[in-house]
Amino acid sequence: MADSVASVTPPTMAAMLLTGHGGVEKLEYRQDVATPKPQAGQVLVQVTATAKNNTDRKAREGLYPTKDKGDVTSFAMGGEPTLTFPRIQGADVAGHIVAVGEGVDASRIGERGLLDFNLYADDRRDINLTPDYYGHGADGGYAEYIAVPSDQFHHVPNTDLHDAELAAMGMCSYQTAYHMMTSASIAAGERVLVSGASGGVGTALIQLCRVVGAIPYAVSQPDKADALLALGAEAVIDRGDLPTFVDRVLATTNGQPIDAVMDLVGGDMTNLFIDTMIVDMQHRKSYPRLSIAGASGGNLSEMMWTRIYLYQVQIFGVSHGTREEAEQLIAWIRNGDLKPVLHAAFKLSELHDAERYFVNRDSNYLGKIVIVPDSQWQTHGVPFALNAP
């Protein structure tokens, strides 16, 4: 098998290597990286697009402290740290199978698909207690090729989806969003407040709420309201003017409490989000629920625990998801129930520019940025370039 792989793939490839914790200067573009070979049970994927996620930046900068708030570190939920250098980042990989390892049917060669980005510790389908992922504990998609388990590279033949659009629907955002909802047992008819609504997880949450029949209320900037309403938001609440935030949310819901909050912000907003749920408790039909999967507004929140336990607020910390959830998402993508929200594409060699743009993005930003290998740019990147007509 190794000989046949070598005959159809080059011995080296272009890739962006993360060489240590720090700024974008720690990302080094190389064109002499050894092309991976598929091992038993794996497929070799020629990468056509990989969506950028905030976790790439946070892992690079070492912003995952779990004990000392000042630690510069990556998370190590399985015990030992798995982020070693150099590392190829990029979790949400779309591409085409060009070779297979032992035990994988060769008929899969040529399939276009999307990667379930998780590095699962076992075969359990309903739980994932030690989350790790491609681009962190193993090399990811900021490269021309990647070798991954065959059962985690899901065939998505939809001809109406470009590869860049498929990458924009990657599991890092969509599976995180769905796991936030399943953890909180979101049901049809429930009012769900979505913070950070214009980002990758936020836009996924809006769509997923509609798929399951829940009613999403988006927290974002007013100039993004039209796009978020078109995506499925019931209403868009301006995140500004914090003293009036709760009143404005309740005015939007005609005084009805929010049933659950999907929190991607943290910081000072967390208490306000809880306030939107604990009004009119005698008429609620379920416990107030807060799922949190991000802290873009700050890693520390001050709250009174008496408010949590007396109002019986259920809090769910969410990181990644399960095999079952990934397979459900793929089914919805194949059926056209979920739509890509693609903001722009950047060349792999210009990842520094993409990182800076992501951090300093303007008010027009909505959805995902994807990174396209230079060798694939003409076909898969040009139509979605930042300044494309």
Side-chain angles (χ1 to χ4, degrees):
M1 179 59 65
D3 289 340
S4 64
V5 172
S7 66
V8 296
T9 58
T12 60
M13 65 177 183
M16 187 68 75
L17 301 182
L18 177 64
T19 59
H21 288 306
V24 294
E25 75 279 356
K26 294 296 185 179
L27 293 166
E28 181 181 345
Y29 186 63
R30 297 278 298 274
Q31 294 179 280
D32 59 353
V33 178
T35 302
K37 297 179 180 180
Q39 304 302 307
Q42 291 187 328
V43 294
L44 182 68
V45 175
Q46 185 173 35
V47 178
T48 51
T50 299
K52 174 167 172 42
N53 293 290
N54 198 37
T55 190
D56 297 325
R57 177 189 63 84
K58 295 182 73 174
R60 169 171 54 78
E61 296 182 0
L63 300 181
Y64 283 112
T66 56
K67 293 182 180 179
D68 186 330
K69 63 184 180 182
D71 282 349
V72 176
T73 185
S74 184
F75 63 86
M77 299 305 294
E80 294 296 322
T82 60
L83 177 60
T84 58
F85 305 110
R87 173 66 76 217
I88 300 172
Q89 293 187 290
D92 287 335
V93 181
H96 301 253
I97 297 175
V98 294
V100 299
E102 182 180 351
V104 181
D105 193 330
S107 66
R108 293 206 63 189
I109 293 175
E111 283 185 5
R112 192 274 295 267
L114 183 64
L115 175 66
D116 172 359
F117 76 125
N118 288 282
L119 292 171
Y120 294 108
D122 52 44
D123 293 331
R124 291 195 63 174
R125 296 176 47 75
D126 62 334
I127 198 168
N128 182 10
L129 293 176
T130 56
D132 202 354
Y133 60 96
Y134 283 92
H136 182 274
D139 285 339
Y142 290 162
E144 292 182 297
Y145 296 92
I146 183 175
V148 296
S150 62
D151 64 348
Q152 287 182 230
F153 190 74
H154 296 280
H155 186 201
V156 183
N158 306 38
T159 57
D160 59 334
L161 281 177
H162 294 273
D163 286 28
E165 293 175 315
L166 181 59
M169 304 173 76
M171 295 294 110
C172 190
S173 290
Y174 277 78
Q175 194 189 43
T176 299
Y178 190 39
H179 194 52
M180 293 177 79
M181 293 170 57
T182 59
S183 296
S185 301
I186 300 301
E190 291 194 309
R191 294 174 292 275
V192 180
L193 191 67
V194 178
S195 71
S198 65
V201 179
T203 53
L205 279 164
I206 291 171
Q207 293 191 67
L208 288 166
C209 281
R210 290 302 186 183
V211 167
V212 304
I215 307 167
Y217 291 84
V219 180
S220 189
Q221 297 167 314
D223 54 8
K224 297 181 181 179
D226 288 345
L228 294 173
L229 291 169
L231 198 59
E234 184 75 5
V236 178
I237 298 114
D238 185 357
R239 67 188 183 191
D241 190 19
L242 296 189
T244 67
F245 178 78
V246 176
D247 290 338
R248 288 186 286 110
V249 171
L250 296 176
T252 304
T253 64
N254 296 316
Q256 298 299 306
I258 292 293
D259 292 301
V261 174
M262 304 292 106
D263 187 4
L264 301 164
V265 175
D268 294 338
M269 294 295 294
T270 301
N271 263 317
L272 298 177
F273 294 151
I274 291 172
D275 285 342
T276 68
M277 296 190 288
I278 60 175
V279 296
D280 197 22
M281 289 293 290
Q282 67 269 33
H283 294 118
R284 288 187 62 97
K285 297 180 181 179
S286 60
Y287 293 116
R289 286 149 286 153
L290 174 76
S291 279
I292 185 161
S296 62
N299 202 31
L300 297 176
S301 299
E302 183 176 330
M303 65 182 70
M304 296 172 61
W305 284 111
T306 46
R307 297 176 75 239
I308 302 302
Y309 68 76
L310 291 177
Y311 287 102
Q312 302 186 83
V313 178
Q314 299 178 337
I315 300 177
F316 304 91
V318 172
S319 179
H320 301 206
T322 68
R323 294 178 188 270
E324 287 180 345
E325 290 164 345
E327 290 169 4
Q328 175 62 80
L329 288 165
I330 291 294
W332 282 331
I333 292 172
R334 288 172 178 159
N335 292 339
D337 296 318
L338 299 173
K339 305 297 182 184
V341 186
L342 173 57
H343 180 71
F346 285 79
K347 287 182 180 179
L348 178 61
S349 63
E350 298 172 353
L351 183 59
H352 287 196
D353 294 336
E355 292 279 357
R356 295 188 187 99
Y357 181 82
F358 183 82
V359 171
N360 301 305
R361 53 193 183 269
D362 58 31
S363 60
N364 293 321
Y365 185 93
L366 188 77
K368 302 292 288 186
I369 286 173
V370 299
I371 308 301
V372 176
D374 293 39
S375 58
Q376 301 289 328
W377 179 251
Q378 199 60 37
T379 300
H380 299 290
V382 167
F384 306 101
L386 190 59
N387 297 314

